[in-house]
């Protein structure tokens, strides 16, 4: 039995926040789970994928977040509890479905986990998705700990089912990825099979239906607002004439700060776990017992704005502050919050000594793995197209091509944007345009951009970096995979057929680890760009980590620099493999050695320098 299925009511388990979310869903009888992976939410869908057969649930790695919401809401319409998880920017993709789903509602509980990423640990922005709940008009819960994450999942399903509306569980990276004791409930058994009752005048959202459903949504929100006023997740602690309003992990930083400042008996903390609909009555009552209020929250002033509205309504005369003292960008921590609390309330405290990072530490930027086929692709494209070309890129491991020495990324805004923006660049520039996109990202949202480029006869080369997995988020499958842990992935969507089906006439497939052949094909495609139109190069070679970790394929060779490779140094420097160790030979000239522990055995460097030879690894 999987560990997350074991344990009875009252037992404690030491769970990751994302594991606690899974457990909460299991205790609620969830039977349909859909997601596109994205840090910090990926462990949720991966955990359910491991559990699926044991719990009899349908677990879907969806092609993108919009599809995951659409799939799961259908299950919820049929009386089957469903879960969707995604990182914060995923809700941008899903928002088209999400906004109208709030109107249509659900028949069984449906929870949408939106995992925000303050400080952009692995994201392109740090948007605050609490505004999505307010904009869509759906209830939102914000856990601070794994225990709350588990408990709020259970409460979220009950609320969703009671009011017939999806519920957002908004987490942040520190909640998803921290580990803490969690008191368990009972895992609930439910059936996957549902039933559907036709009701087009409530389920088919044409304008006349949408107008009616919007009014129903507003009625639901009024009822749910009453619930938020008495929610057990909205708690108050402490005494005194000063007040702090907070939510999520920020509230934990406040508790630490108050303890370290010795203010527990002078400050009341109102910790909000249900933040939409906003509990105005609860907050008004809180304001009636304090003289000044500081709002402590990460990112945008979501709570602060609501508190100020309540203060205006109830005539609060005290001082309210938030982002004047609390940073608006990046994650908070206890030190930042202590500074804010002490500054606002005028408390003297001693600032901690700032740890200074030694200036002589070597820089270690993120880098493509040794043996990564993307590096070989970038090297060959740069050899053929050089600095003149413009290189729009996309979301995935290959975004690291941004860094020196490759520097093969000129523009990026979101998933799937590389081919769309390449179309725009090609229309207004008299320069070659070469766009990069991964196979998973192409299926996610690159297809529409390719169709657009073909239909408008844009002049560009799209390079699809096909490593046969979703590598950056942990090797999840996608519709085109041919390798799975179990063997061949069937049925699968054939990438070449799909690209041709989009109208692409000029298509080639290469193995980027074959450097000479790849560059030959690229030269031909570069010449073809003079004729206009869209060309596509599928650069296919499996992610070596996927092959070794997931499929058990063992590396057979490493490579060694055995002699004078000075004539090849320029090429090796451009390749920039992270297994290279640069040093000086006896004459003081630069030379390269290869760290055999890091070497991935891809053989690309050996094709650039005859002094580099293979060394067979012992079995």
């Amino acid at each position: 039995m999987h560990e997350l299925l074991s344990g009875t009511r009252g037992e404690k388990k030491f769970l990751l926040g994302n594991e606690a979310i899974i457990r909460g869903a299991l205790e609620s009888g969830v039977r349909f789970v859909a997601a596109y992976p994205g840090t910090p939410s990926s462990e949720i869908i991966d955990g359910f994928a491991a559990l699926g057969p044991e719990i009899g649930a349908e677990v879907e790695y969806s092609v993108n977040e919009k599809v995951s919401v659409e799939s799961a809401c259908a299950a919820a319409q049929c009386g089957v509890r469903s879960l969707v998880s995604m990182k914060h920017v995923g809700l941008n993709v899903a928002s088209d479905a999400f906004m109208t789903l709030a109107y249509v509602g659900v028949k069984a509980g449906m929870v949408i986990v939106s995992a925000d990423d303050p400080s952009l640990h692995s994201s392109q922005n740090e948007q605050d998705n609490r505004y999505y709940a307010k904009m869509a008009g759906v209830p939102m819960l914000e856990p601070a700990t794994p225990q709350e994450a588990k408990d709020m999942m259970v409460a979220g399903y009950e609320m969703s089912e009671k009011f017939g509306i999806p519920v957002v569980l908004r987490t942040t990276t520190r909640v998803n990825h921290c580990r803490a004791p969690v008191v368990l409930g009972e895992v609930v058994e439910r059936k996957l099979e549902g039933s559907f009752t036709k009701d087009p005048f409530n389920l088919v959202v044409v304008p006349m239906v949408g107008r009616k459903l919007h009014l129903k949504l507003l009625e639901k929100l009024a009822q749910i607002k009453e619930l938020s006023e008495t929610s057990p997740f909205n708690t108050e602690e402490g005494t005194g004439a000063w007040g702090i309003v907070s939510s999520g992990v920020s509230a934990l930083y406040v508790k630490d700060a108050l303890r370290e400042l010795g203010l527990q008996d002078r400050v009341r903390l109102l910790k909000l776990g249900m933040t939409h609909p906003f509990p105005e009555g609860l907050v008004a009552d809180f304001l009636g017992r304090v003289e000044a209020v500081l709002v402590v929250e990460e990112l945008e002033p979501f709570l602060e704005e609501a508190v100020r509205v309540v203060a205006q309504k109830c005539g609060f005369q005290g001082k309210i502050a938030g982002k004047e003292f609390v940073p608006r960008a990046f994650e908070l921590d206890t030190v930042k919050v202590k500074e804010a609390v002490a500054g606002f309330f005028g408390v003297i405290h001693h600032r901690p000594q700032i740890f200074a990072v030694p200036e002589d530490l070597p820089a270690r930027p993120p880098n493509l793995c040794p043996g990564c086929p993307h590096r070989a692709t970038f090297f060959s494209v740069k050899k053929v197209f050089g600095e003149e070309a413009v290189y729009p890129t996309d979301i995935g491991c290959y975004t690291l091509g941004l860094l020196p020495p490759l520097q093969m990324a000129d523009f990026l805004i979101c998933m799937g944007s590389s081919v769309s923006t390449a179309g725009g660049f090609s229309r207004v520039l008299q320069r070659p345009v070469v766009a990069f996109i991964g196979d998973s990202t192409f299926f996610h949202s690159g297809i529409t951009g390719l169709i657009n480029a073909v239909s408008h006869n844009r002049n560009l080369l799209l390079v699809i970096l096909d490593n046969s997995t979703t590598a950056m988020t942990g090797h999840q499958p996608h519709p085109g995979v041919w390798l799975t842990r179990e063997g061949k992935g069937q049925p699968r969507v054939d990438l070449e057929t799909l690209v041709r089906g989009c109208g692409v006439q000029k298509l080639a497939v290469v193995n980027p680890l074959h450097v000479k052949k790849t560059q030959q094909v690229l030269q031909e495609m570069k010449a073809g760009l003079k004729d206009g139109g869209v060309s596509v190069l599928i650069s296919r070679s499996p992610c070596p980590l996927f092959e070794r970790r997931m499929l058990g394929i063992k590396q057979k060779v490493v490579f060694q620099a055995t002699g004078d490779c000075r004539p090849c140094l320029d090429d090796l420097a451009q390749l920039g493999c992270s297994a290279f160790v640069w040093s000086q030979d006896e004459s003081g000239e630069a030379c390269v050695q290869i760290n055999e522990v890091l070497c991935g055995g891809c053989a690309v460097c050996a094709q650039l320098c005859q002094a580099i030879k293979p060394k067979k690894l012992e079995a």
Side-chain angles (χ1 to χ4, degrees):
M1 175 184 291
H2 194 286
E3 185 182 6
L4 284 173
L5 289 169
S6 65
T8 56
R9 181 180 297 278
E11 288 187 34
K12 286 186 179 179
K13 279 186 177 292
F14 199 57
L15 298 181
L16 195 70
N18 281 339
E19 293 173 335
I21 289 171
I22 295 173
R23 177 70 191 204
L26 293 172
E27 292 179 6
S28 305
V30 71
R31 284 297 176 270
F32 195 102
V33 182
Y36 183 84
T39 306
S41 71
S42 299
E43 293 87 354
I44 299 172
I45 183 65
D46 287 348
F48 272 107
L51 279 167
E54 284 193 73
I55 60 174
E58 178 67 22
V59 180
E60 172 183 302
Y61 281 104
S62 304
V63 70
N64 65 30
E65 295 85 353
K66 178 175 180 286
V67 173
S68 69
V69 169
E70 292 163 344
S71 296
C73 81
Q77 277 297 331
C78 297
V80 175
R81 287 189 169 184
S82 66
L83 168 67
V84 181
S85 63
M86 63 192 73
K87 68 180 300 173
H88 62 308
V89 290
L91 195 47
N92 300 338
V93 180
S95 61
D96 202 12
F98 172 67
M99 297 296 291
T100 305
L101 175 60
Y103 281 30
V104 173
V106 292
K107 298 293 188 298
M110 178 177 180
V111 174
I112 299 171
V113 179
S114 171
D116 286 10
D117 188 19
S119 283
L120 305 92
H121 292 288
S122 55
S123 307
Q124 63 269 41
N125 70 34
E126 56 175 359
Q127 69 189 42
D128 191 330
N129 274 10
R130 293 179 295 179
Y131 289 102
Y132 264 118
K134 185 176 181 179
M135 183 164 59
V138 301
M140 175 173 59
L141 301 169
E142 287 192 68
T145 64
Q147 179 70 62
E148 282 195 344
K150 197 274 294 182
D151 293 342
M152 287 182 178
M153 286 296 292
V154 177
Y157 279 105
E158 292 173 353
M159 190 191 316
S160 172
E161 208 153 280
K162 179 179 179 180
F163 294 99
I165 191 170
V167 170
V168 169
L169 184 83
R170 187 258 186 176
T171 61
T172 56
T173 302
R174 297 299 169 187
V175 177
N176 294 99
H177 287 168
C178 78
R179 192 173 286 275
V182 175
V183 179
L184 304 181
E186 294 289 346
V187 173
V188 174
E189 293 188 4
R190 283 174 178 250
K191 291 183 178 179
L192 172 62
E193 293 79 13
S195 61
F196 180 72
T197 302
K198 294 187 178 183
D199 184 14
F201 293 103
N202 281 302
L203 298 179
V204 181
V205 190
V206 293
M208 69 173 184
V209 174
R211 294 186 194 104
K212 179 181 67 176
L213 294 180
H214 191 192
L215 295 177
K216 281 189 176 180
L217 173 61
L218 296 178
E219 291 174 6
K220 287 180 184 177
L221 279 176
Q223 296 170 12
I224 298 170
K225 187 173 183 303
E226 295 178 10
L227 183 66
S228 73
E229 299 285 1
T230 57
S231 171
F233 297 118
N234 297 332
T235 60
E236 182 181 331
E237 60 184 80
T239 60
W242 294 342
I244 292 178
V245 177
S246 189
S247 68
V249 73
S250 301
L252 304 185
Y253 301 143
V254 171
K255 290 184 180 182
D256 285 345
L258 295 179
R259 185 180 65 251
E260 293 180 15
L261 291 169
L263 295 177
Q264 297 100 317
D265 60 348
R266 299 176 66 184
V267 179
R268 298 173 186 269
L269 168 61
L270 179 59
K271 174 178 172 295
L272 298 178
M274 185 170 179
T275 50
H276 191 263
F278 192 71
E280 292 187 348
L282 180 71
V283 173
D285 178 68
F286 181 76
L287 293 178
R289 288 179 281 113
V290 296
E291 298 172 352
V293 173
L294 177 67
V295 182
V296 179
E297 57 190 324
E298 285 180 327
L299 303 181
E300 298 303 307
F302 180 83
L303 298 179
E304 182 186 341
E305 291 168 352
V307 169
R308 289 184 185 277
V309 169
V310 173
Q312 194 277 333
K313 286 183 177 178
C314 69
F316 179 68
Q317 298 298 313
K319 183 178 179 182
I320 299 175
K323 292 305 171 186
E324 303 100 306
F325 292 86
V326 181
R328 188 167 178 171
F330 312 135
E331 286 185 315
L332 298 181
D333 55 38
T334 300
V335 173
K336 292 177 182 175
V337 172
K338 193 162 65 173
E339 288 277 339
V341 172
F344 177 67
F345 293 117
V347 177
I348 297 175
H349 84 292
H350 300 289
R351 292 184 176 182
Q353 183 178 2
I354 303 298
F355 174 72
V357 178
E359 295 182 356
D360 57 348
L361 284 178
R364 296 190 62 188
N367 206 340
L368 292 169
C369 300
C372 175
H374 299 338
R375 182 187 302 281
T377 303
F378 287 141
F379 176 82
S380 291
V381 172
K382 193 170 188 177
K383 271 288 182 185
V384 173
F385 283 88
E387 299 292 340
E388 183 193 5
V390 177
Y391 300 110
T393 192
D394 227 295
I395 303 288
C397 300
Y398 49 92
T399 314
L400 297 173
L402 163 76
L403 300 169
L406 297 167
Q407 295 181 294
M408 294 294 281
D410 292 326
F411 194 74
L412 167 63
I413 51 175
C414 63
M415 284 193 84
S417 68
S418 63
V419 61
S420 308
T421 56
F425 283 124
S426 72
R427 185 68 184 85
V428 297
L429 296 176
Q430 297 301 314
R431 299 168 61 180
V433 178
V434 181
F436 299 104
I437 193 168
D439 47 344
S440 182
T441 309
F442 179 72
F443 284 111
H444 177 281
S445 48
I447 296 172
T448 48
L450 179 59
I451 293 170
N452 188 68
V454 170
S455 66
H456 290 87
N457 197 32
R458 299 305 188 215
N459 183 20
L460 60 92
L461 169 61
L462 174 64
V463 180
I464 301 178
L465 301 151
D466 181 3
N467 62 5
S468 304
T469 186
T470 312
M472 199 167 201
T473 49
H475 297 130
Q476 292 85 3
H478 61 68
V481 296
W482 57 277
L483 288 168
T484 69
R485 190 188 294 271
E486 295 77 23
K488 295 284 186 182
Q490 296 292 343
R492 59 180 285 264
V493 177
D494 182 75
L495 193 53
E496 291 96 305
T497 304
L498 180 60
V499 169
R500 291 195 188 280
C502 292
V504 174
Q505 302 294 318
K506 293 177 282 189
L507 170 66
V509 182
V510 297
N511 180 344
L513 302 186
H514 300 163
V515 177
K516 186 176 179 180
K517 176 63 177 176
T518 298
Q519 293 184 9
Q520 179 185 338
V521 172
L522 282 166
Q523 289 286 3
E524 295 168 358
M525 301 194 100
K526 183 180 181 182
L529 287 179
K530 296 176 182 176
D531 301 326
V534 176
S535 303
V536 173
L537 176 70
I538 299 176
S539 186
R540 176 175 292 146
S541 182
C543 168
L545 293 181
F546 177 70
E547 283 188 315
R548 290 162 196 165
R549 291 178 181 174
M550 304 291 284
L551 304 177
I553 298 175
K554 293 184 178 179
Q555 183 178 342
K556 296 179 180 177
V557 298
V558 295
F559 285 82
Q560 299 174 305
T562 58
D564 183 5
C565 60
R566 209 167 301 143
C568 313
L569 286 182
D570 286 347
D571 276 350
L572 295 180
Q574 282 299 312
L575 184 63
C577 178
S578 49
F580 291 168
V581 179
W582 292 89
S583 59
Q584 293 180 332
D585 61 17
E586 294 177 353
S587 64
E589 297 290 339
C591 67
V592 70
Q593 298 295 319
I594 298 174
N595 185 329
E596 294 183 11
V597 176
L598 295 178
C599 178
C602 68
V604 171
C605 59
Q607 298 171 62
L608 306 180
C609 177
Q610 294 182 353
I612 294 177
K613 303 293 184 185
K615 173 186 172 184
K616 190 173 181 180
L617 290 173
E618 296 181 3

